[in-house]
Amino acid sequence: QVQLVESGGGSVQPGGSLTLSCAAAGFDFASYNMGWYSQTPGKLRERVASITFDGASTNYAASVKGRFAISRDNDKSILYLQMNSLKPEDSAVYFCNRGVSGLFWDWGQGTQVTVSS
């Protein structure tokens, strides 16, 4: 049914940039608020950024505000996360899902982001 496939992660030095993509299928992507979530092994997933169904409004965790930008292409059903000025503490597995807490679809495998020198 619903498929959420994250990609774009990798290893980068502090101060570097990455662009994550989430290819969505199996639902009306344009009708749902979406979000990016991060998870460090052994910890709960935390919301990093969210965006309304029409892209009119975005929200960010304080720790990434000014450095990350969430966007979406409803025609292609793709969610993006532009990550700039990366810090070691940004290292995590990043997932995409619905932007409303408690109403998530099955989680994908995520994409690993490692920031180190």
Side-chain angles (χ1 to χ4, degrees):
Q1 295 182 350
V2 172
Q3 290 186 324
L4 300 169
V5 182
E6 301 91 348
S7 63
S11 182
V12 65
Q13 294 183 340
S17 298
L18 287 171
T19 301
L20 307 185
S21 298
C22 169
F27 66 101
D28 187 6
F29 178 79
S31 295
Y32 290 89
N33 298 344
M34 298 294 294
W36 283 98
Y37 302 80
S38 66
Q39 183 177 28
T40 300
K43 298 183 181 296
L44 296 174
R45 290 182 178 89
E46 297 182 344
R47 187 167 62 189
V48 174
S50 62
I51 186 169
T52 54
F53 69 97
D54 57 358
S57 181
T58 58
N59 283 295
Y60 298 92
S63 60
V64 308
K65 193 172 298 182
R67 299 189 298 118
F68 292 7
I70 187 171
S71 61
R72 64 192 298 161
D73 186 335
N74 283 347
D75 186 49
K76 297 180 179 179
S77 296
I78 301 177
L79 183 73
Y80 299 99
L81 184 67
Q82 178 65 49
M83 311 169 75
N84 299 318
S85 302
L86 283 162
K87 304 175 180 179
E89 50 263 45
D90 295 321
S91 297
V93 179
Y94 285 79
F95 302 84
C96 62
N97 215 302
R98 295 177 64 176
V100 180
S101 298
L103 297 173
F104 300 121
W105 292 304
D106 289 347
W107 297 94
Q109 293 187 333
T111 185
Q112 176 72 54
V113 172
T114 302
V115 185
S116 63
S117 59

